[in-house]
Amino acid sequence: MVKYLSIPFASVIAVLLLFFFPLQSTYEQQDQMAYNLSYNAVTNFVDSVRNKGYISPMMYSDFTRELGATNNLFDIQMEHKAKRYNPIYKDPTDEATFTGAAEVYYDAVYQQTILYTLFPDNGVSDFDPSRKYYLKEGDFFTVTVRNTNTTKAKLLSDFLTNGNSVDPTRIDIPYGGIVNNENY
């Protein structure tokens, strides 16, 4: 009786060892390659924006095309924190009471506004300066990229562990920094 039960059990173990685990390893490597490509695309885009001081439609299109090469779907979130100064007065109604100091604060501009500047509905050429989104030196610019699709590695992992992942995110890249230059 034990002999008859050991053959199916050994067959199941052999299938797992010879098929599923190498397949899982291959899919994990694909996810790692997709992460590396995405990370390079994000860092190149953000560093380019920080060094130039603007975003053009061509820069954003190239960025999304590089992300698309990973065969994943992404949620891209851009944020621009514009540096502003608020002068400090002893009496706000009298300009003569200026203390010589100022508060620094940041106004946040998000994805929707940036994309509307890059891709307006007015049919203007891609090379028109009005389609560039400008930043100033000292501003902060950040991009966060997350995959929204379930990768093959995640599907196989859920199958093998009998899990049900609610969050398919395998690639999550936040990157940003201070704008270094205004190279208009």
Side-chain angles (χ1 to χ4, degrees):
M1 175 81 174
V2 172
K3 181 179 177 183
Y4 296 113
L5 290 177
S6 65
I7 292 174
F9 181 73
S11 299
V12 168
I13 296 296
V15 167
L16 285 175
L17 290 175
L18 295 174
F19 181 69
F20 283 116
F21 291 121
L23 189 62
Q24 178 70 21
S25 176
T26 301
Y27 288 155
E28 290 288 338
Q29 288 176 353
Q30 286 178 355
D31 281 358
Q32 186 61 43
M33 288 174 38
Y35 179 87
N36 292 342
L37 288 171
S38 302
Y39 184 79
N40 286 338
V42 170
T43 56
N44 289 339
F45 174 68
V46 171
D47 289 345
S48 178
V49 170
R50 290 176 50 222
N51 290 328
K52 292 181 179 181
Y54 66 87
I55 306 170
S56 70
M58 302 267 291
M59 290 168 62
Y60 185 77
S61 297
D62 290 344
F63 169 59
T64 56
R65 190 180 75 255
E66 287 178 33
L67 287 177
T70 64
N71 292 326
N72 287 306
L73 302 174
F74 289 97
D75 174 35
I76 302 169
Q77 295 298 319
M78 292 186 288
E79 181 180 12
H80 169 216
K81 290 184 179 177
K83 190 176 194 178
R84 303 283 188 246
Y85 298 96
N86 188 20
I88 300 173
Y89 297 95
K90 289 183 181 177
D91 181 10
T93 60
D94 185 11
E95 289 184 16
T97 62
F98 179 59
T99 62
E103 300 179 308
V104 176
Y105 66 97
Y106 293 91
D107 281 337
V109 180
Y110 297 101
Q111 174 93 3
Q112 185 176 2
T113 305
I114 295 170
L115 288 180
Y116 184 76
T117 303
L118 296 176
F119 304 104
D121 295 334
N122 58 10
V124 178
S125 167
D126 283 353
F127 303 104
D128 191 285
S130 68
R131 289 192 59 184
K132 288 183 179 177
Y133 182 82
Y134 294 99
L135 300 94
K136 293 193 180 342
E137 190 173 341
D139 292 354
F140 283 98
F141 180 69
T142 58
V143 173
T144 302
V145 172
R146 286 188 184 95
N147 74 304
T148 57
N149 62 315
T150 305
T151 63
K152 293 177 185 177
K154 190 70 168 165
L155 283 173
L156 190 58
S157 174
D158 285 350
F159 172 74
L160 290 175
T161 61
N162 199 19
N164 187 10
S165 298
V166 176
D167 185 21
T169 303
R170 302 272 297 186
I171 300 171
D172 186 3
I173 305 168
Y175 188 74
I178 296 176
V179 176
N180 300 323
N181 197 1
E182 296 175 29
N183 190 9
Y184 306 146

